[in-house]
Amino acid sequence: MGIESHLPDWNALDWSRLATLDDDALPLLPTALLIARDEYPGLDPQPYEALVQAHADHLRTEVAAIEQQPLKMAAINRHLFDELGYSGNHDEYYDPRNSYLNQVLDRRLGNPISLAMVQMEVARRLGIPLDGVSFPGHFLVRLPVDGGLLVMDPFNGGRPLAVEELRERAKPHLGETPDDGVLLQILSPAPHRAILVRVLRNLHGLYAGTQQWDRAARCADRVLKLVPEQSEALRDRGLAYLELDYLPGARQDLARYLELAPEASDVDQIRERLIEAAGTRAPLH
């Protein structure tokens, strides 16, 4: 028994309507594959949907016979990471293919967030409410168990993480060791929109770092399709447009960024770039 009745109409899914969907209605796997279609225009999502469903169907009988949720997750992790060979790409962490879900499913290599999406999709099809966690640094997953949380690292075979390790992982990003309240807040479930935006921001960073400005602009534009007028995405698209000599778009985006984020730390730098986009020089004093 699958979840075919809950699947979206793949042909009807497009960027023009995603911003209007509530987070709960925004499909994770189809939208992740929509992101991949930008880079792989001939991508057919159906085989990848079928593959994920096959992973779940293979596990269905085994998982149904297990009573405790942590042991159910252990069976899922064993199949995905040990038997099927999904793994974190430690050798080429910054390869963009690690972020495109079709490539992750083909190569069984990925980064933390793409492997988390595979893990989540399979677990949820088996009735296990696995959520993503936008943890500082590496993306994680979480499962409520017995009044607590089982937190796992999909980049490292779904390994469970103890509270002290979570504190140590968070400390460099926060500047201090988080107390219980802060840690619980960090471990809040990530909505689908936040997950997909993080995928796109990761890709933007990779492409900007290698000066592939057309792809960088595309990724920032896709963020804006999910979250219209997100200030950072407007800035990123505007700067990419500037590199591509698309000055009208650069002026519009950077000016809007300054309106939305007047207290941002980079406003002086962006004003200088906006002057550059306007084709004028600042007066000398």
Side-chain angles (χ1 to χ4, degrees):
M1 178 180 174
I3 61 163
E4 288 81 359
S5 61
H6 301 294
L7 293 176
D9 180 348
W10 293 87
N11 294 322
L13 189 67
D14 64 71
W15 287 105
S16 64
R17 59 185 293 264
L18 293 183
T20 66
L21 298 178
D22 293 335
D23 279 344
D24 291 342
L26 185 64
L28 187 61
L29 176 64
T31 310
L33 289 171
L34 200 61
I35 291 171
R37 187 180 277 175
D38 280 337
E39 187 66 16
Y40 303 92
L43 187 154
D44 179 0
Q46 295 287 2
Y48 296 103
E49 156 59 32
L51 179 61
V52 172
Q53 189 63 45
H55 291 346
D57 290 341
H58 177 88
L59 285 158
R60 193 170 305 280
T61 300
E62 178 185 1
V63 168
I66 300 172
E67 184 173 346
Q68 296 182 348
Q69 295 280 62
L71 297 180
K72 290 177 184 282
M73 264 323 302
I76 293 170
N77 289 340
R78 183 169 57 251
H79 182 58
L80 290 177
F81 299 112
D82 297 340
E83 297 171 6
L84 294 178
Y86 285 96
S87 62
N89 193 345
H90 294 266
D91 294 334
E92 296 180 293
Y93 186 83
Y94 296 105
D95 187 331
R97 291 177 295 178
N98 296 330
S99 291
Y100 291 118
L101 208 56
N102 62 320
Q103 289 289 313
V104 175
L105 292 165
D106 284 340
R107 302 167 72 226
R108 300 191 179 176
L109 273 177
N111 58 23
I113 195 166
S114 63
L115 292 170
M117 286 192 285
V118 174
Q119 198 181 14
M120 290 162 60
E121 283 288 328
V122 172
R124 289 172 173 182
R125 290 164 195 241
L126 296 169
I128 299 171
L130 191 66
D131 282 317
V133 176
S134 288
F135 203 80
H138 282 185
F139 198 85
L140 303 174
V141 295
R142 52 164 272 172
L143 178 69
V145 290
D146 299 328
L149 289 175
L150 172 63
V151 181
M152 292 164 284
D153 181 357
F155 192 64
N156 290 290
R159 182 172 68 85
L161 302 175
V163 171
E164 287 310 313
E165 183 173 353
L166 291 168
R167 292 191 205 279
E168 288 303 310
R169 286 189 177 206
K171 182 178 178 179
H173 302 277
L174 302 179
E176 59 183 6
T177 302
D179 59 23
D180 289 348
V182 172
L183 189 60
L184 278 174
Q185 185 176 4
I186 295 172
L187 292 172
S188 297
H192 287 182
R193 196 177 308 274
I195 295 172
L196 296 161
V197 166
R198 185 159 170 166
V199 170
L200 287 162
R201 290 194 59 77
N202 287 345
L203 282 166
H204 170 270
L206 294 175
Y207 289 135
T210 53
Q211 299 186 4
Q212 297 182 66
W213 297 114
D214 54 342
R215 288 181 166 93
R218 181 186 72 201
C219 293
D221 181 72
R222 293 316 196 191
V223 172
L224 292 165
K225 291 291 193 298
L226 290 168
V227 188
E229 293 211 303
Q230 190 203 65
S231 60
E232 290 181 350
L234 281 164
R235 176 200 63 197
D236 292 343
R237 189 176 66 178
L239 292 174
Y241 281 164
L242 193 57
E243 298 291 343
L244 293 167
D245 289 327
Y246 176 42
L247 299 185
R251 287 194 291 267
Q252 181 174 329
D253 282 353
L254 296 180
R256 185 59 179 150
Y257 171 71
L258 293 175
E259 291 177 8
L260 293 174
E263 304 299 323
S265 60
D266 60 354
V267 292
D268 290 339
Q269 176 189 351
I270 297 302
R271 283 197 187 95
E272 291 179 5
R273 301 304 302 272
L274 187 57
I275 292 170
E276 179 183 342
T280 62
R281 294 183 178 273
L284 297 176
H285 295 286

